[in-house]
Amino acid sequence: MSAKVKADKELRFAQGLIIPVLEAINETGVTSAFHICRGNYTRDEDALLVGAYDKLARTLEKFPVDVYMLEFSTPRAGELDELFYNNSLDEKIILGLGVINPRNSRVETVEEIVARAEEALEFVPPEQVWLNPDCGFETFSHRPMNPYDIIEDKLANMVEASKILQKKHSK
């Protein structure tokens, strides 16, 4: 939308488009998911969108969605506590927690991924946290963000972290 339009008007417009789609998905009984992307077209973090989710939280509360797949592997996304400040999202959602940054080649350690997930567990129970990459790795068919060996290493560490977390937090 145009930069000339006020944010609240943009959000109402977006709600009018998104809510009917989510309602139709929910009628099928399929788990619905909603991803908020901050950009995945460049490796230059300075060129991508910045801002915490707190300004969107009240709008997100209105969406009839099961899973919010949100980017949290980059400081550009703000802190987890900002997502849950002054709203009831913690009671409503499954958090698809972005713990891998597909825009760089640094492989996140298992310990880093576990620590990020543990932060999320301060706000939502373990069964409501799903680990995932911030975005996909194959943004461009002829120019992926990373070579396959880096992608495999990142995903392997995410899987290993999930096993550690499941063992630690299973009831």
Side-chain angles (χ1 to χ4, degrees):
M1 295 204 61
S2 168
K4 297 176 185 174
V5 178
K6 290 190 174 195
D8 60 337
K9 188 173 181 180
E10 282 187 43
L11 290 173
R12 281 194 306 276
F13 176 73
Q15 279 177 263
L17 296 173
I18 295 168
I19 289 175
V21 172
L22 291 170
E23 288 172 341
I25 291 169
N26 291 343
E27 286 177 13
T28 67
V30 173
T31 299
S32 59
F34 188 83
H35 173 64
I36 297 176
C37 190
R38 296 172 178 285
N40 201 29
Y41 53 86
T42 180
R43 293 168 76 94
D44 180 4
E45 290 281 327
D46 294 332
L48 301 170
L49 296 174
V50 176
Y53 293 103
D54 61 328
K55 293 172 181 62
L56 294 174
R58 290 284 188 197
T59 299
L60 297 178
E61 278 184 303
K62 297 174 185 170
F63 289 178
V65 68
D66 299 310
V67 184
Y68 279 104
M69 303 188 78
L70 303 177
E71 299 182 4
F72 274 110
S73 74
T74 172
R76 291 181 299 102
E79 294 300 320
L80 276 159
D81 63 340
E82 293 172 298
L83 173 63
F84 297 104
Y85 178 74
N86 202 23
N87 61 62
S88 63
L89 284 174
D90 60 328
E91 301 165 11
K92 175 184 180 209
I93 68 166
I94 295 169
L95 175 60
L97 180 67
V99 293
I100 293 175
N101 187 340
R103 290 169 300 278
N104 66 39
S105 57
R106 188 182 80 74
V107 177
E108 295 81 355
T109 67
V110 171
E111 295 77 20
E112 288 171 325
I113 296 168
V114 167
R116 192 61 166 161
E118 295 281 357
E119 287 179 49
L121 296 176
E122 293 177 28
F123 304 98
V124 292
E127 62 275 8
Q128 288 176 234
V129 178
W130 294 3
L131 303 183
N132 51 258
D134 273 0
C135 284
F137 288 98
E138 288 290 332
T139 303
F140 306 103
S141 62
H142 299 294
R143 188 173 53 90
M145 285 287 161
N146 276 297
Y148 292 121
D149 60 327
I150 299 289
I151 294 168
E152 289 172 352
D153 290 346
K154 285 176 172 271
L155 291 174
N157 283 359
M158 187 176 76
V159 169
E160 185 61 32
S162 73
K163 291 176 182 176
I164 291 168
L165 290 159
Q166 286 173 350
K167 186 174 181 181
K168 182 176 180 181
H169 295 284
S170 291
K171 292 180 180 181

